[in-house]
Amino acid sequence: MYIMPKSQARALAAALAEDYDLHGPVLREESGEPMFDRVEDPAAIRLEAAIPYNPPKSVVFPQAERIMSYRYDREAKTVSLERDDLVRPKALVGLRACDLNGLLCLDRFYLGQEYVDEFYRDHRKKMFIVVNNCVRPFPQCFCVCTDSGPAAREGYDVALTGDGDDYLFEAGSEKGQALARRLGLKEAGPGAAGRKAKIIDASIARFDAEATENKAWISRVMNRITTGFISNDIWEFIGDQCFECGACSFVCPTCSCFNIEDINSREGRTDRMRSWDSCSYEGYTRMAGEHNPRRPVEDRRNKRFFCKLSYSQSRKYLRPGCVGCGRCNRVCPGDIGIANVVTYIRREITKAGAK
């Protein structure tokens, strides 16, 4: 482990910008809100900013993207295919531990099963990840309930942990070690690991007082959802609150559903587009012939929470599908983000236990 003065954070970003497209938390000029975005100027990255409103998944899984094009020659009856090169070195700087776990969930979905998604794979190649461990929680966070934070345990090249005027700089790969040497960092000494552990323990201890929007009761609700012991009344109540806007899916670091559409151009080329989809949309499960097995919104809502909180889905991701970032609570106009849904189910459990 190394010591890096916080004043050197800009030099870290600048060093990475020489070899990678740079992405990180920035503050929007018009609102001052933190967003995770592509940056040209390394000085624009704000490691001290709160957790961004959007997760970094658009870097590897863009909201809308052309994945290939084709032309059909009617006279020759031949098809020619074209595909963009999606491989570009990318540095993700300032990821929070929850968002890194979200990225690892996407890796397991797109790369770790029977089929490999080559478009996702190309985006994920040549990536450098710098994690910024949380030394304090934010109001909507509950990563401690989903085993996603506040510190990252795997999958990073560098992990930074704030320690007064310095960062504890932890290299997680050869690339991370090389960056430490390039920046001329000093060894942190034998007590550094213990110091980091105390900082993270202190962060966890602050959740009760500072993560005041945290209403999670995850483990009991995971049990209920997995075993199906949730009454239809609860799902109908949750469905009644849903505006079917899809915002929860779009800000979720682990949501991976997409739609495919072919769009014809006047030049005779057809672009195959991939775009984000959401189980909150009525057309999400519509089949050929207009049959829709999940037309009622409550049927699609319980599918979402089964995906995020059931044990069977956790086996697929090797962790819960929810990483506890709290973004869905922040954006949901119907007040049915994960933490609130857990609260509704918790009330049912408590009510049943009181009988």
Side-chain angles (χ1 to χ4, degrees), residues 265-324:
S265 69
R266 292 181 178 177
E267 295 78 26
R269 187 188 73 238
T270 301
D271 291 332
R272 177 154 294 179
M273 302 296 295
R274 173 155 82 173
S275 57
W276 293 352
D277 202 351
S278 171
C279 53
S280 68
Y281 297 156
E282 185 181 346
Y284 176 77
T285 52
R286 190 166 55 227
M287 301 176 179
E290 296 296 313
H291 175 61
N292 193 338
R294 289 183 182 271
R295 187 183 297 276
V297 63
E298 60 268 23
D299 287 355
R300 284 174 276 121
R301 292 296 71 197
N302 64 21
K303 191 269 176 195
R304 171 175 171 75
F305 299 112
F306 183 86
C307 185
K308 300 302 171 192
L309 296 174
S310 76
Y311 174 67
S312 54
Q313 286 294 104
S314 298
R315 290 180 64 188
K316 184 169 72 176
Y317 293 126
L318 305 180
R319 53 152 295 106
C322 174
V323 296

Short mmCIF file of all heavy atoms in Angstrom, two decimals, residues 265-324:
data_model
loop_
_atom_site.label_atom_id
_atom_site.label_comp_id
_atom_site.label_asym_id
_atom_site.label_seq_id
_atom_site.Cartn_x
_atom_site.Cartn_y
_atom_site.Cartn_z
N SER A 265 -32.01 3.03 -43.35
CA SER A 265 -31.62 4.38 -43.76
C SER A 265 -31.94 4.57 -45.25
O SER A 265 -32.14 3.59 -45.98
CB SER A 265 -30.12 4.61 -43.53
OG SER A 265 -29.37 3.81 -44.43
N ARG A 266 -31.98 5.81 -45.70
CA ARG A 266 -32.27 6.09 -47.11
C ARG A 266 -31.14 5.59 -48.01
O ARG A 266 -31.34 5.37 -49.20
CB ARG A 266 -32.48 7.59 -47.31
CG ARG A 266 -33.76 8.10 -46.64
CD ARG A 266 -33.93 9.57 -46.89
NE ARG A 266 -35.17 10.06 -46.31
CZ ARG A 266 -35.55 11.33 -46.32
NH1 ARG A 266 -34.76 12.24 -46.87
NH2 ARG A 266 -36.70 11.69 -45.78
N GLU A 267 -29.96 5.45 -47.46
CA GLU A 267 -28.81 5.00 -48.25
C GLU A 267 -28.82 3.50 -48.49
O GLU A 267 -27.92 2.95 -49.12
CB GLU A 267 -27.50 5.38 -47.55
CG GLU A 267 -27.26 6.88 -47.43
CD GLU A 267 -28.07 7.51 -46.31
OE1 GLU A 267 -28.41 6.79 -45.35
OE2 GLU A 267 -28.40 8.71 -46.42
N GLY A 268 -29.83 2.81 -47.98
CA GLY A 268 -29.92 1.37 -48.18
C GLY A 268 -29.26 0.56 -47.10
O GLY A 268 -29.24 -0.67 -47.14
N ARG A 269 -28.72 1.24 -46.10
CA ARG A 269 -28.08 0.54 -44.99
C ARG A 269 -29.09 0.32 -43.87
O ARG A 269 -29.96 1.16 -43.65
CB ARG A 269 -26.91 1.37 -44.47
CG ARG A 269 -26.05 0.66 -43.44
CD ARG A 269 -25.04 1.61 -42.83
NE ARG A 269 -25.68 2.56 -41.93
CZ ARG A 269 -25.61 3.89 -42.07
NH1 ARG A 269 -24.93 4.43 -43.06
NH2 ARG A 269 -26.23 4.70 -41.22
N THR A 270 -28.99 -0.78 -43.19
CA THR A 270 -29.83 -1.02 -42.01
C THR A 270 -28.94 -1.10 -40.78
O THR A 270 -27.96 -1.85 -40.75
CB THR A 270 -30.61 -2.34 -42.16
OG1 THR A 270 -31.43 -2.28 -43.33
CG2 THR A 270 -31.48 -2.60 -40.94
N ASP A 271 -29.26 -0.28 -39.79
CA ASP A 271 -28.50 -0.27 -38.54
C ASP A 271 -29.22 -1.12 -37.50
O ASP A 271 -30.43 -0.93 -37.28
CB ASP A 271 -28.35 1.16 -38.01
CG ASP A 271 -27.45 2.00 -38.90
OD1 ASP A 271 -26.57 1.41 -39.56
OD2 ASP A 271 -27.64 3.23 -38.93
N ARG A 272 -28.49 -2.01 -36.90
CA ARG A 272 -29.06 -2.78 -35.79
C ARG A 272 -28.70 -2.07 -34.50
O ARG A 272 -27.53 -1.93 -34.15
CB ARG A 272 -28.52 -4.21 -35.79
CG ARG A 272 -29.02 -5.04 -34.61
CD ARG A 272 -29.03 -6.50 -34.92
NE ARG A 272 -30.00 -6.80 -35.97
CZ ARG A 272 -30.19 -8.03 -36.46
NH1 ARG A 272 -29.50 -9.05 -36.00
NH2 ARG A 272 -31.09 -8.22 -37.42
N MET A 273 -29.73 -1.58 -33.80
CA MET A 273 -29.54 -0.77 -32.59
C MET A 273 -29.89 -1.58 -31.35
O MET A 273 -30.88 -2.32 -31.33
CB MET A 273 -30.43 0.47 -32.64
CG MET A 273 -30.21 1.37 -33.84
SD MET A 273 -28.57 2.12 -33.89
CE MET A 273 -28.63 3.15 -32.41
N ARG A 274 -29.08 -1.41 -30.35
CA ARG A 274 -29.38 -1.98 -29.03
C ARG A 274 -29.65 -0.84 -28.06
O ARG A 274 -28.87 0.12 -28.01
CB ARG A 274 -28.22 -2.84 -28.53
CG ARG A 274 -28.44 -3.32 -27.10
CD ARG A 274 -27.67 -4.57 -26.81
NE ARG A 274 -26.27 -4.34 -26.47
CZ ARG A 274 -25.48 -5.32 -26.05
NH1 ARG A 274 -25.95 -6.55 -25.93
NH2 ARG A 274 -24.22 -5.08 -25.77
N SER A 275 -30.73 -0.94 -27.29
CA SER A 275 -31.06 0.13 -26.34
C SER A 275 -31.56 -0.49 -25.04
O SER A 275 -32.04 -1.63 -25.02
CB SER A 275 -32.11 1.08 -26.92
OG SER A 275 -33.27 0.36 -27.27
N TRP A 276 -31.44 0.27 -23.97
CA TRP A 276 -31.90 -0.21 -22.67
C TRP A 276 -33.40 -0.50 -22.70
O TRP A 276 -34.18 0.21 -23.33
CB TRP A 276 -31.65 0.83 -21.58
CG TRP A 276 -30.19 1.07 -21.28
CD1 TRP A 276 -29.12 0.36 -21.76
CD2 TRP A 276 -29.66 2.08 -20.43
NE1 TRP A 276 -27.96 0.88 -21.25
CE2 TRP A 276 -28.25 1.93 -20.44
CE3 TRP A 276 -30.22 3.09 -19.67
CZ2 TRP A 276 -27.41 2.77 -19.71
CZ3 TRP A 276 -29.39 3.93 -18.94
CH2 TRP A 276 -28.00 3.77 -18.96
N ASP A 277 -33.79 -1.53 -21.98
CA ASP A 277 -35.21 -1.84 -21.81
C ASP A 277 -35.49 -1.88 -20.31
O ASP A 277 -34.57 -1.87 -19.48
CB ASP A 277 -35.51 -3.20 -22.46
CG ASP A 277 -37.00 -3.35 -22.81
OD1 ASP A 277 -37.79 -2.49 -22.39
OD2 ASP A 277 -37.35 -4.34 -23.47
N SER A 278 -36.75 -1.93 -19.96
CA SER A 278 -37.12 -1.96 -18.55
C SER A 278 -38.33 -2.86 -18.35
O SER A 278 -39.29 -2.82 -19.14
CB SER A 278 -37.45 -0.55 -18.05
OG SER A 278 -38.00 -0.61 -16.73
N CYS A 279 -38.30 -3.67 -17.30
CA CYS A 279 -39.43 -4.55 -17.00
C CYS A 279 -40.65 -3.76 -16.54
O CYS A 279 -41.73 -4.33 -16.37
CB CYS A 279 -39.03 -5.59 -15.96
SG CYS A 279 -38.32 -4.90 -14.46
N SER A 280 -40.50 -2.45 -16.34
CA SER A 280 -41.67 -1.65 -15.97
C SER A 280 -42.52 -1.29 -17.19
O SER A 280 -43.67 -0.89 -17.05
CB SER A 280 -41.24 -0.36 -15.24
OG SER A 280 -40.57 0.50 -16.13
N TYR A 281 -41.95 -1.44 -18.41
CA TYR A 281 -42.71 -1.12 -19.61
C TYR A 281 -43.69 -2.25 -19.94
O TYR A 281 -43.34 -3.43 -19.84
CB TYR A 281 -41.77 -0.94 -20.81
CG TYR A 281 -40.80 0.21 -20.69
CD1 TYR A 281 -39.61 0.21 -21.40
CD2 TYR A 281 -41.07 1.30 -19.88
CE1 TYR A 281 -38.72 1.26 -21.31
CE2 TYR A 281 -40.19 2.35 -19.77
CZ TYR A 281 -39.01 2.33 -20.49
OH TYR A 281 -38.13 3.37 -20.38
N GLU A 282 -44.89 -1.87 -20.39
CA GLU A 282 -45.90 -2.89 -20.71
C GLU A 282 -45.44 -3.81 -21.83
O GLU A 282 -45.72 -5.00 -21.85
CB GLU A 282 -47.22 -2.22 -21.09
CG GLU A 282 -48.33 -3.24 -21.32
CD GLU A 282 -49.64 -2.60 -21.73
OE1 GLU A 282 -49.77 -1.37 -21.58
OE2 GLU A 282 -50.53 -3.32 -22.20
N GLY A 283 -44.67 -3.27 -22.78
CA GLY A 283 -44.24 -4.08 -23.92
C GLY A 283 -43.06 -4.98 -23.64
O GLY A 283 -42.63 -5.74 -24.51
N TYR A 284 -42.54 -4.93 -22.42
CA TYR A 284 -41.32 -5.68 -22.08
C TYR A 284 -41.48 -7.17 -22.32
O TYR A 284 -40.57 -7.84 -22.82
CB TYR A 284 -40.99 -5.41 -20.62
CG TYR A 284 -39.81 -6.19 -20.08
CD1 TYR A 284 -38.51 -5.81 -20.39
CD2 TYR A 284 -40.00 -7.29 -19.25
CE1 TYR A 284 -37.43 -6.51 -19.89
CE2 TYR A 284 -38.93 -7.99 -18.74
CZ TYR A 284 -37.65 -7.60 -19.06
OH TYR A 284 -36.59 -8.31 -18.56
N THR A 285 -42.64 -7.74 -22.00
CA THR A 285 -42.84 -9.18 -22.16
C THR A 285 -43.82 -9.50 -23.29
O THR A 285 -44.27 -10.64 -23.39
CB THR A 285 -43.38 -9.79 -20.85
OG1 THR A 285 -44.52 -9.04 -20.42
CG2 THR A 285 -42.32 -9.77 -19.76
N ARG A 286 -44.14 -8.50 -24.13
CA ARG A 286 -45.08 -8.76 -25.22
C ARG A 286 -44.43 -9.65 -26.27
O ARG A 286 -43.29 -9.43 -26.67
CB ARG A 286 -45.54 -7.45 -25.85
CG ARG A 286 -46.69 -7.65 -26.84
CD ARG A 286 -47.35 -6.34 -27.19
NE ARG A 286 -46.38 -5.38 -27.69
CZ ARG A 286 -46.30 -4.12 -27.29
NH1 ARG A 286 -47.11 -3.67 -26.36
NH2 ARG A 286 -45.39 -3.30 -27.79
N MET A 287 -45.18 -10.65 -26.70
CA MET A 287 -44.66 -11.63 -27.66
C MET A 287 -45.31 -11.41 -29.02
O MET A 287 -46.24 -10.62 -29.17
CB MET A 287 -44.96 -13.05 -27.18
CG MET A 287 -44.38 -13.39 -25.83
SD MET A 287 -44.90 -15.03 -25.30
CE MET A 287 -44.03 -15.15 -23.73
N ALA A 288 -44.81 -12.15 -30.02
CA ALA A 288 -45.44 -12.14 -31.35
C ALA A 288 -46.89 -12.57 -31.20
O ALA A 288 -47.20 -13.47 -30.44
CB ALA A 288 -44.70 -13.08 -32.29
N GLY A 289 -47.79 -11.89 -31.94
CA GLY A 289 -49.21 -12.19 -31.80
C GLY A 289 -49.86 -11.40 -30.68
O GLY A 289 -51.02 -11.64 -30.33
N GLU A 290 -49.09 -10.45 -30.07
CA GLU A 290 -49.59 -9.54 -29.03
C GLU A 290 -49.88 -10.22 -27.69
O GLU A 290 -50.42 -9.60 -26.79
CB GLU A 290 -50.85 -8.79 -29.51
CG GLU A 290 -50.63 -7.87 -30.69
CD GLU A 290 -49.68 -6.72 -30.37
OE1 GLU A 290 -49.82 -6.08 -29.33
OE2 GLU A 290 -48.75 -6.50 -31.17
N HIS A 291 -49.53 -11.50 -27.56
CA HIS A 291 -49.73 -12.13 -26.26
C HIS A 291 -48.75 -11.54 -25.25
O HIS A 291 -47.56 -11.37 -25.55
CB HIS A 291 -49.52 -13.64 -26.35
CG HIS A 291 -49.59 -14.33 -25.02
ND1 HIS A 291 -50.73 -14.29 -24.24
CD2 HIS A 291 -48.67 -15.05 -24.32
CE1 HIS A 291 -50.51 -14.96 -23.12
NE2 HIS A 291 -49.27 -15.44 -23.15
N ASN A 292 -49.24 -11.20 -24.08
CA ASN A 292 -48.38 -10.61 -23.05
C ASN A 292 -48.65 -11.31 -21.72
O ASN A 292 -49.66 -11.04 -21.07
CB ASN A 292 -48.65 -9.10 -22.93
CG ASN A 292 -47.58 -8.40 -22.12
OD1 ASN A 292 -46.89 -9.03 -21.32
ND2 ASN A 292 -47.44 -7.11 -22.32
N PRO A 293 -47.74 -12.20 -21.29
CA PRO A 293 -47.99 -12.94 -20.06
C PRO A 293 -47.85 -12.10 -18.80
O PRO A 293 -48.26 -12.54 -17.72
CB PRO A 293 -46.92 -14.05 -20.10
CG PRO A 293 -45.81 -13.46 -20.92
CD PRO A 293 -46.49 -12.60 -21.94
N ARG A 294 -47.26 -10.92 -18.89
CA ARG A 294 -47.10 -10.06 -17.71
C ARG A 294 -47.67 -8.67 -17.98
O ARG A 294 -47.02 -7.66 -17.74
CB ARG A 294 -45.62 -9.96 -17.32
CG ARG A 294 -45.03 -11.23 -16.73
CD ARG A 294 -43.60 -11.02 -16.29
NE ARG A 294 -43.00 -12.22 -15.77
CZ ARG A 294 -43.05 -12.59 -14.49
NH1 ARG A 294 -43.65 -11.81 -13.61
NH2 ARG A 294 -42.48 -13.71 -14.08
N ARG A 295 -48.88 -8.61 -18.50
CA ARG A 295 -49.46 -7.30 -18.78
C ARG A 295 -49.72 -6.48 -17.50
O ARG A 295 -49.40 -5.28 -17.46
CB ARG A 295 -50.75 -7.44 -19.58
CG ARG A 295 -51.32 -6.10 -20.06
CD ARG A 295 -52.65 -6.29 -20.79
NE ARG A 295 -52.48 -7.08 -21.99
CZ ARG A 295 -52.11 -6.59 -23.16
NH1 ARG A 295 -51.86 -5.30 -23.28
NH2 ARG A 295 -51.98 -7.38 -24.20
N PRO A 296 -50.31 -7.06 -16.44
CA PRO A 296 -50.54 -6.26 -15.23
C PRO A 296 -49.22 -5.75 -14.65
O PRO A 296 -48.25 -6.50 -14.56
CB PRO A 296 -51.21 -7.25 -14.27
CG PRO A 296 -51.79 -8.29 -15.14
CD PRO A 296 -50.85 -8.43 -16.29
N VAL A 297 -49.20 -4.49 -14.28
CA VAL A 297 -47.95 -3.88 -13.83
C VAL A 297 -47.40 -4.59 -12.59
O VAL A 297 -46.18 -4.70 -12.42
CB VAL A 297 -48.14 -2.37 -13.59
CG1 VAL A 297 -49.13 -2.11 -12.47
CG2 VAL A 297 -46.80 -1.71 -13.30
N GLU A 298 -48.28 -5.09 -11.71
CA GLU A 298 -47.77 -5.74 -10.50
C GLU A 298 -47.00 -7.02 -10.84
O GLU A 298 -46.07 -7.40 -10.12
CB GLU A 298 -48.90 -6.05 -9.51
CG GLU A 298 -50.00 -6.95 -10.03
CD GLU A 298 -51.15 -6.18 -10.65
OE1 GLU A 298 -50.92 -5.03 -11.06
OE2 GLU A 298 -52.25 -6.73 -10.71
N ASP A 299 -47.36 -7.68 -11.96
CA ASP A 299 -46.62 -8.87 -12.37
C ASP A 299 -45.21 -8.50 -12.81
O ASP A 299 -44.26 -9.26 -12.59
CB ASP A 299 -47.32 -9.58 -13.53
CG ASP A 299 -48.58 -10.31 -13.07
OD1 ASP A 299 -48.82 -10.34 -11.86
OD2 ASP A 299 -49.30 -10.83 -13.94
N ARG A 300 -45.08 -7.34 -13.46
CA ARG A 300 -43.75 -6.91 -13.90
C ARG A 300 -42.95 -6.33 -12.75
O ARG A 300 -41.73 -6.47 -12.69
CB ARG A 300 -43.90 -5.89 -15.03
CG ARG A 300 -44.27 -6.55 -16.35
CD ARG A 300 -44.56 -5.56 -17.44
NE ARG A 300 -45.93 -5.08 -17.38
CZ ARG A 300 -46.29 -3.83 -17.24
NH1 ARG A 300 -45.37 -2.90 -17.12
NH2 ARG A 300 -47.56 -3.48 -17.22
N ARG A 301 -43.63 -5.70 -11.80
CA ARG A 301 -42.93 -5.16 -10.64
C ARG A 301 -42.36 -6.28 -9.76
O ARG A 301 -41.24 -6.21 -9.30
CB ARG A 301 -43.87 -4.28 -9.80
CG ARG A 301 -44.31 -2.99 -10.44
CD ARG A 301 -43.16 -2.04 -10.71
NE ARG A 301 -42.30 -2.49 -11.77
CZ ARG A 301 -41.08 -2.05 -12.00
NH1 ARG A 301 -40.55 -1.15 -11.20
NH2 ARG A 301 -40.36 -2.50 -13.00
N ASN A 302 -43.12 -7.34 -9.54
CA ASN A 302 -42.56 -8.39 -8.69
C ASN A 302 -41.42 -9.11 -9.40
O ASN A 302 -40.52 -9.62 -8.76
CB ASN A 302 -43.63 -9.36 -8.17
CG ASN A 302 -44.31 -10.16 -9.26
OD1 ASN A 302 -43.78 -10.31 -10.35
ND2 ASN A 302 -45.49 -10.68 -8.97
N LYS A 303 -41.44 -9.09 -10.75
CA LYS A 303 -40.30 -9.66 -11.49
C LYS A 303 -39.04 -8.86 -11.19
O LYS A 303 -37.97 -9.42 -11.00
CB LYS A 303 -40.62 -9.63 -12.99
CG LYS A 303 -39.67 -10.43 -13.86
CD LYS A 303 -38.51 -9.62 -14.36
CE LYS A 303 -37.52 -10.48 -15.16
NZ LYS A 303 -36.23 -9.80 -15.35
N ARG A 304 -39.16 -7.53 -11.14
CA ARG A 304 -38.00 -6.69 -10.85
C ARG A 304 -37.42 -7.01 -9.48
O ARG A 304 -36.22 -7.19 -9.32
CB ARG A 304 -38.37 -5.22 -10.93
CG ARG A 304 -37.26 -4.30 -10.41
CD ARG A 304 -37.57 -2.83 -10.59
NE ARG A 304 -36.58 -1.99 -9.91
CZ ARG A 304 -35.35 -1.79 -10.34
NH1 ARG A 304 -34.95 -2.35 -11.46
NH2 ARG A 304 -34.51 -1.04 -9.68
N PHE A 305 -38.27 -7.09 -8.47
CA PHE A 305 -37.76 -7.29 -7.12
C PHE A 305 -37.29 -8.72 -6.90
O PHE A 305 -36.39 -8.96 -6.09
CB PHE A 305 -38.80 -6.82 -6.10
CG PHE A 305 -39.11 -5.36 -6.26
CD1 PHE A 305 -40.35 -4.93 -6.70
CD2 PHE A 305 -38.12 -4.42 -6.05
CE1 PHE A 305 -40.61 -3.59 -6.90
CE2 PHE A 305 -38.37 -3.06 -6.25
CZ PHE A 305 -39.62 -2.65 -6.68
N PHE A 306 -37.87 -9.67 -7.65
CA PHE A 306 -37.34 -11.03 -7.63
C PHE A 306 -35.92 -11.02 -8.21
O PHE A 306 -35.01 -11.65 -7.67
CB PHE A 306 -38.24 -11.95 -8.46
CG PHE A 306 -37.84 -13.39 -8.45
CD1 PHE A 306 -38.29 -14.23 -7.44
CD2 PHE A 306 -37.03 -13.91 -9.44
CE1 PHE A 306 -37.91 -15.57 -7.42
CE2 PHE A 306 -36.65 -15.24 -9.43
CZ PHE A 306 -37.09 -16.07 -8.42
N CYS A 307 -35.72 -10.27 -9.29
CA CYS A 307 -34.40 -10.19 -9.93
C CYS A 307 -33.37 -9.57 -8.99
O CYS A 307 -32.21 -9.99 -8.96
CB CYS A 307 -34.52 -9.37 -11.21
SG CYS A 307 -33.02 -9.29 -12.19
N LYS A 308 -33.78 -8.61 -8.19
CA LYS A 308 -32.83 -7.89 -7.34
C LYS A 308 -32.57 -8.58 -6.00
O LYS A 308 -31.49 -8.45 -5.43
CB LYS A 308 -33.33 -6.47 -7.05
CG LYS A 308 -33.52 -5.61 -8.28
CD LYS A 308 -32.23 -5.48 -9.06
CE LYS A 308 -32.47 -4.81 -10.41
NZ LYS A 308 -31.28 -4.93 -11.28
N LEU A 309 -33.58 -9.31 -5.50
CA LEU A 309 -33.47 -9.74 -4.10
C LEU A 309 -33.62 -11.25 -3.87
O LEU A 309 -33.43 -11.68 -2.74
CB LEU A 309 -34.52 -9.00 -3.25
CG LEU A 309 -34.35 -7.48 -3.16
CD1 LEU A 309 -35.52 -6.86 -2.41
CD2 LEU A 309 -33.04 -7.11 -2.49
N SER A 310 -33.97 -12.03 -4.89
CA SER A 310 -34.18 -13.46 -4.60
C SER A 310 -32.85 -14.21 -4.52
O SER A 310 -31.86 -13.82 -5.16
CB SER A 310 -35.06 -14.10 -5.68
OG SER A 310 -34.30 -14.31 -6.85
N TYR A 311 -32.86 -15.29 -3.75
CA TYR A 311 -31.64 -16.09 -3.60
C TYR A 311 -31.23 -16.73 -4.92
O TYR A 311 -30.03 -16.82 -5.23
CB TYR A 311 -31.86 -17.15 -2.52
CG TYR A 311 -30.71 -18.12 -2.39
CD1 TYR A 311 -29.47 -17.68 -1.90
CD2 TYR A 311 -30.84 -19.46 -2.75
CE1 TYR A 311 -28.40 -18.55 -1.78
CE2 TYR A 311 -29.77 -20.33 -2.63
CZ TYR A 311 -28.56 -19.88 -2.16
OH TYR A 311 -27.51 -20.75 -2.05
N SER A 312 -32.21 -17.20 -5.71
CA SER A 312 -31.87 -17.87 -6.97
C SER A 312 -31.16 -16.92 -7.93
O SER A 312 -30.23 -17.31 -8.64
CB SER A 312 -33.13 -18.46 -7.61
OG SER A 312 -34.11 -17.46 -7.76
N GLN A 313 -31.56 -15.65 -7.95
CA GLN A 313 -30.87 -14.69 -8.79
C GLN A 313 -29.48 -14.37 -8.23
O GLN A 313 -28.53 -14.15 -8.97
CB GLN A 313 -31.69 -13.40 -8.91
CG GLN A 313 -32.90 -13.49 -9.78
CD GLN A 313 -32.54 -13.73 -11.25
OE1 GLN A 313 -32.68 -14.84 -11.75
NE2 GLN A 313 -32.08 -12.71 -11.94
N SER A 314 -29.36 -14.38 -6.90
CA SER A 314 -28.06 -14.12 -6.28
C SER A 314 -27.05 -15.19 -6.65
O SER A 314 -25.86 -14.93 -6.80
CB SER A 314 -28.21 -14.07 -4.75
OG SER A 314 -29.07 -13.02 -4.38
N ARG A 315 -27.53 -16.42 -6.83
CA ARG A 315 -26.62 -17.50 -7.24
C ARG A 315 -26.06 -17.23 -8.63
O ARG A 315 -24.91 -17.55 -8.93
CB ARG A 315 -27.36 -18.84 -7.24
CG ARG A 315 -27.69 -19.34 -5.85
CD ARG A 315 -28.42 -20.66 -5.90
NE ARG A 315 -27.61 -21.72 -6.48
CZ ARG A 315 -28.07 -22.92 -6.78
NH1 ARG A 315 -29.33 -23.21 -6.55
NH2 ARG A 315 -27.28 -23.83 -7.30
N LYS A 316 -26.86 -16.60 -9.48
CA LYS A 316 -26.41 -16.29 -10.84
C LYS A 316 -25.34 -15.21 -10.82
O LYS A 316 -24.34 -15.29 -11.52
CB LYS A 316 -27.60 -15.86 -11.68
CG LYS A 316 -27.25 -15.62 -13.15
CD LYS A 316 -28.48 -15.47 -14.00
CE LYS A 316 -29.18 -14.15 -13.76
NZ LYS A 316 -30.32 -13.95 -14.66
N TYR A 317 -25.56 -14.18 -10.00
CA TYR A 317 -24.62 -13.07 -9.92
C TYR A 317 -23.50 -13.31 -8.90
O TYR A 317 -22.58 -12.52 -8.78
CB TYR A 317 -25.34 -11.78 -9.53
CG TYR A 317 -26.31 -11.26 -10.56
CD1 TYR A 317 -27.63 -10.99 -10.23
CD2 TYR A 317 -25.90 -11.01 -11.87
CE1 TYR A 317 -28.52 -10.49 -11.17
CE2 TYR A 317 -26.78 -10.52 -12.81
CZ TYR A 317 -28.09 -10.26 -12.46
OH TYR A 317 -28.96 -9.77 -13.39
N LEU A 318 -23.63 -14.36 -8.08
CA LEU A 318 -22.72 -14.63 -6.96
C LEU A 318 -22.80 -13.53 -5.90
O LEU A 318 -21.87 -13.32 -5.13
CB LEU A 318 -21.27 -14.80 -7.44
CG LEU A 318 -21.07 -15.86 -8.52
CD1 LEU A 318 -19.60 -15.94 -8.92
CD2 LEU A 318 -21.56 -17.23 -8.06
N ARG A 319 -23.91 -12.81 -5.89
CA ARG A 319 -24.18 -11.77 -4.90
C ARG A 319 -25.60 -11.25 -5.17
O ARG A 319 -26.15 -11.53 -6.24
CB ARG A 319 -23.17 -10.61 -5.01
CG ARG A 319 -23.04 -10.01 -6.41
CD ARG A 319 -22.63 -8.56 -6.35
NE ARG A 319 -23.67 -7.77 -5.72
CZ ARG A 319 -23.57 -7.31 -4.49
NH1 ARG A 319 -22.48 -7.49 -3.78
NH2 ARG A 319 -24.56 -6.63 -3.96
N PRO A 320 -26.19 -10.49 -4.24
CA PRO A 320 -27.52 -9.92 -4.52
C PRO A 320 -27.51 -9.03 -5.77
O PRO A 320 -26.52 -8.35 -6.04
CB PRO A 320 -27.83 -9.11 -3.26
CG PRO A 320 -27.00 -9.72 -2.19
CD PRO A 320 -25.74 -10.19 -2.87
N GLY A 321 -28.60 -9.04 -6.51
CA GLY A 321 -28.70 -8.19 -7.70
C GLY A 321 -28.83 -6.72 -7.36
O GLY A 321 -28.69 -5.87 -8.24
N CYS A 322 -29.12 -6.40 -6.10
CA CYS A 322 -29.14 -5.00 -5.64
C CYS A 322 -27.82 -4.71 -4.94
O CYS A 322 -27.37 -5.50 -4.11
CB CYS A 322 -30.31 -4.78 -4.68
SG CYS A 322 -30.32 -3.14 -3.91
N VAL A 323 -27.20 -3.55 -5.26
CA VAL A 323 -25.92 -3.21 -4.64
C VAL A 323 -26.06 -2.13 -3.57
O VAL A 323 -25.07 -1.67 -3.02
CB VAL A 323 -24.88 -2.77 -5.70
CG1 VAL A 323 -24.56 -3.92 -6.64
CG2 VAL A 323 -25.36 -1.55 -6.48
N GLY A 324 -27.30 -1.71 -3.28
CA GLY A 324 -27.52 -0.79 -2.17
C GLY A 324 -27.13 0.65 -2.41
O GLY A 324 -26.86 1.39 -1.47
#
